[in-house]
Amino acid sequence: AEGLLRMINETNYPTPPPKLYGLPRSGGTLIYNVMNHIFDGNVGPQSHDYFEFSADEATTDDPRWSASLPPIVAVYRDFRDSLASQWRAYTLDRTGANLPKMSLAQVYSSALGQKQAVQALYSFREYQKNHPDQKILFLRYEDFFDSTRGDVNFDFLFQQFEEFFGICEDDVLTKEKKDYIRKEFCFSSQKKFASNFKSFHEGFDPDLTGDDRMKALADSGLLEELEKRQIHGNHLNTGKSTWKDLISPEHYEIVNQILGDELRDWGYL
């Protein structure tokens, strides 16, 4: 432990810790956990809103970080899967295991909401075009999650981060860190942790959770771990594409029409 602490304190990172944007229900929590471990707990949870940096944010008092703008990582997935996954997580809190298909009204409102949410991706793309010094990595869920195996493609993520952040195994992204990330943040480990919570909001919303349950979570250490990992109850399903399972076939064309431009622009149609 002493050697690890010394290594962390002495590590000189080639970049400040990144800031993360995640389209809701697109794997952003996984990416947050992976990056936060790489950067020794210095990465904040994802934002679901667009943001940008001013020039004075390139300064830093920490000698480990270089004086440059924090890099941005933007995570997204097939927008139909994102909206269906978001609906599933919230609906399970009300219905339990009996999950119906989305109604026409729910498909319509969810697709319109998703269309609005995707505008953040366009804003990041435009900002990168107008500010070439700002490093932005766009990560597609379908590239870092292997649907055939039902698990994270960590080799892909490590390669992306090594190249984007300019880090290497001998310095920052060590073998020990990679082994820990593979073990703690694989799909089965994340799903096992999420099973400690009865609903998507449990532990995050004290009013919905209740005083007794909040105290029990705190006493067990789960509340502290929940705040660190940001993995809710009902957070994970199969990890695979399920929008066609949750939306009736007669409504496929509706969601494709509403999100048609966005799906084509980002490579999904």
Side-chain angles (χ1 to χ4, degrees):
E2 182 180 343
L4 177 60
L5 181 61
R6 184 169 60 251
M7 179 192 73
I8 291 173
N9 289 335
E10 293 177 355
T11 297
N12 291 313
Y13 296 84
T15 178
K19 188 163 183 179
L20 175 63
Y21 164 79
L23 185 72
R25 310 298 298 163
S26 295
T29 303
L30 163 71
I31 300 303
Y32 152 69
N33 277 291
V34 172
M35 295 197 307
N36 194 40
H37 190 71
I38 292 173
F39 285 90
D40 303 312
N42 289 287
V43 175
Q46 65 179 325
S47 170
H48 292 317
D49 300 311
Y50 173 73
F51 57 83
E52 57 188 55
F53 297 113
S54 58
D56 59 1
E57 291 181 85
T59 62
T60 176
D61 295 328
D62 192 324
R64 293 178 300 171
W65 318 131
S66 62
S68 59
L69 287 173
I72 295 171
V73 175
V75 183
Y76 64 99
R77 76 188 294 188
D78 188 321
F79 310 131
R80 296 162 296 189
D81 277 316
S82 180
L83 73 86
S85 179
Q86 192 165 19
W87 177 84
R88 179 195 67 82
Y90 291 139
T91 303
L92 278 175
D93 277 3
R94 301 192 305 270
T95 65
N98 299 317
L99 191 66
K101 287 187 181 293
M102 298 176 70
S103 68
L104 173 59
Q106 289 166 336
V107 169
Y108 194 83
S109 63
S110 295
L112 289 176
Q114 189 73 2
K115 191 178 186 73
Q116 181 64 36
V118 172
Q119 298 313 304
L121 287 172
Y122 285 102
S123 296
F124 282 116
R125 193 161 69 178
E126 185 68 16
Y127 186 76
Q128 184 182 48
K129 182 170 67 175
N130 295 328
H131 299 81
D133 291 338
Q134 175 66 70
K135 295 179 62 177
I136 303 180
L137 174 64
F138 290 93
L139 274 180
R140 278 171 52 115
Y141 177 92
E142 292 79 10
D143 291 332
F144 65 78
F145 189 86
D146 186 337
S147 292
T148 303
R149 293 191 304 113
D151 207 349
V152 184
N153 185 344
F154 285 110
D155 288 337
F156 173 84
L157 282 180
F158 293 151
Q159 181 182 8
Q160 290 292 305
F161 291 154
E162 285 169 348
E163 294 176 358
F164 181 66
F165 298 130
I167 56 181
C168 63
E169 183 173 304
D170 295 335
D171 186 10
V172 180
L173 188 47
T174 62
K175 181 180 183 302
E176 289 75 17
K177 282 187 177 179
K178 287 182 177 180
D179 290 344
Y180 180 91
I181 288 169
R182 290 182 192 276
K183 177 177 180 293
E184 291 296 321
F185 304 129
C186 66
F187 191 78
S188 60
S189 291
Q190 294 181 79
K191 191 152 187 172
K192 181 178 179 181
F193 179 77
S195 69
N196 289 299
F197 308 96
K198 301 172 185 176
S199 71
F200 192 80
H201 296 94
E202 186 174 68
F204 281 97
D205 189 321
D207 292 335
L208 292 177
T209 305
D211 292 341
D212 290 344
R213 179 59 176 162
M214 286 294 290
K215 184 178 185 304
L217 290 172
D219 291 344
S220 68
L222 283 171
L223 192 60
E224 180 180 359
E225 194 67 13
L226 175 65
E227 292 172 353
K228 177 183 176 182
R229 293 191 178 220
Q230 299 286 303
I231 298 176
H232 308 243
N234 291 335
H235 203 129
L236 305 169
N237 185 25
T238 65
K240 301 179 181 181
S241 176
T242 58
W243 72 269
K244 287 187 175 181
D245 299 327
L246 296 176
I247 297 176
S248 298
E250 61 267 27
H251 299 153
Y252 291 173
E253 187 58 30
I254 294 172
V255 73
N256 284 335
Q257 285 182 353
I258 294 174
L259 292 170
D261 289 342
E262 291 79 7
L263 291 167
R264 281 184 287 273
D265 287 347
W266 294 90
Y268 291 111
L269 269 185

